[in-house]
Amino acid sequence: MRFLKFVLIALIILRIPTVFSQLNQQIQVDVVYLASEELEGRATGTKGESLAASYIVSRMKSLGLKPGNDGGWYQSFKIPANPHMVNSAELTGKNVIGYLDRKAKSSIIIGAHYDHLGHGVVGSLAPNDHNTHNGADDNASGVAAMLWIAEKLTQQKKLEHNIIFIAFSGEEYGLFGSKAYIENPTIPKENISAMINMDMVGRLNAENVIAISGVGTSSKWNNVLQEIKPADFTFNNSESGLGPSDHSSFYLKEIPVLHFFTGQHKDYHKPSDDSYLVNYEGIEKVANIIYDIVVKIDPIKKIDFIKTKDQSKEMATDFKVTLGVMPDYVYNGNGMRIDAVLEGRAAMKAGMKDGDIIIHLAGEDIKDIHDYMKVLSENKKGDKVKAKVLRDGKEVELDVEF
Ligand SMILES: [Zn+2]
């Protein structure tokens, strides 16, 4: 399997010069290295994390960034031992911080976590598979995008903001790196104008749909996004500043945030999240969009902060049941498309399959993911309901027991 992977990577690299630009090749080099077996899944506190961190430092140096933490590249932090796990010990992780100094008072932060799940166990969706969880999409893709944005921004000599680039660690254990940063920021917190986060930007689909959250955290975002949106892209915007990635840590300290995500997939948090499945051109496109956003917001004197309705928390506390599927967050059509049906759960028992589109559930029409969430919040465990899904264009009726 490893050999096969090597051959695939070699094939992809060999055909690049004829297809992609030079810089796109750099994006691929970054992802392939960060997601390689040598880094053993970049778990916080391991040798793989250190190797990844040194690599990111060397890349930042070569781009001409300065060390961002008082002359140093790293900011270390502790993750306490987990009392619910055997053999759990305190871990030390490190953020990598690069600084583009434009002698401005305020700064914009661009971030992406670089840690992943190592050989699985904590956070894995394939907990019995101890092969390396390579985390190519999650989140070597975000780091590569961040470095590409850094490369473009270093060529912008006139900026009204400094830019701080942070590769966070400790994300997979619970956003520890970003929390540590905002507790001990490298510049006064009031001087952080906005934070832009990327987590899983490596699977841009053929329809060019990007999920962007945090759009409600400033009155500026909607206009900016409309102005820079390429005609062939669809932005799936959501208001909330809270979500399962590092932007949440900044939002909670009242900093306007935007978070970019190209969608869920069946390899999420599994050893199969590999670099040969990544859409490199897609990473470049997403990164270019974020670059355009930074250039657009740079002259704005004050990017106001707005507290948003906490959607994800509401959803989590309202759920009495789950179906055991991974929704397709970037699906735009009618219904709720299932990216992946999870092993042994209600949906699988009911006979649902990856790619099914739920259009009817428990007596309700399902037009989108919000209708689906609403139905989940209204049912309880043991309820038996009917579901209707679209499979290869045909309607299929199924019996579901929550
Ligand atoms: Zn992630």
Side-chain angles (χ1 to χ4, degrees), residues 196-315:
I196 299 179
N197 188 47
M198 291 161 281
D199 195 351
M200 298 172 66
V201 293
R203 299 282 190 113
L204 184 68
N205 63 16
E207 292 77 36
N208 290 334
V209 184
I210 309 177
I212 306 177
S213 49
V215 179
T217 63
S218 173
S219 69
K220 310 287 183 202
W221 291 141
N222 261 316
N223 279 343
V224 169
L225 290 173
Q226 268 167 33
E227 282 170 33
I228 59 89
K229 191 182 87 60
D232 57 340
F233 270 71
T234 302
F235 291 170
N236 258 0
N237 294 346
S238 69
E239 300 277 303
S240 177
L242 277 183
S245 190
D246 294 306
H247 58 291
S248 292
S249 307
F250 291 81
Y251 167 75
L252 290 171
K253 299 289 180 183
E254 310 205 326
I255 293 165
V257 297
L258 280 182
H259 168 60
F260 289 79
F261 171 48
T262 52
Q264 198 55 268
H265 46 79
K266 66 176 173 32
D267 306 305
Y268 171 71
H269 280 200
K270 289 184 184 163
S272 52
D273 179 4
D274 278 327
S275 44
Y276 70 90
L277 296 169
V278 163
N279 176 355
Y280 295 101
E281 215 177 338
I283 296 179
E284 185 176 357
K285 287 178 183 168
V286 174
N288 285 340
I289 284 169
I290 294 170
Y291 168 81
D292 288 344
I293 291 170
V294 173
V295 170
K296 202 91 202 166
I297 64 173
D298 175 57
I300 301 178
K301 279 275 172 293
K302 173 75 191 151
I303 303 170
D304 59 321
F305 171 80
I306 301 173
K307 211 169 157 55
T308 56
K309 265 189 80 186
D310 180 356
Q311 288 167 348
S312 51
K313 217 186 215 165
E314 265 169 33
M315 291 196 303

Side-chain angles (χ1 to χ4, degrees), residues 113 138 171-172 199:
H113 78 87
D138 188 7
E171 194 273 348
E172 301 286 7
D199 195 351

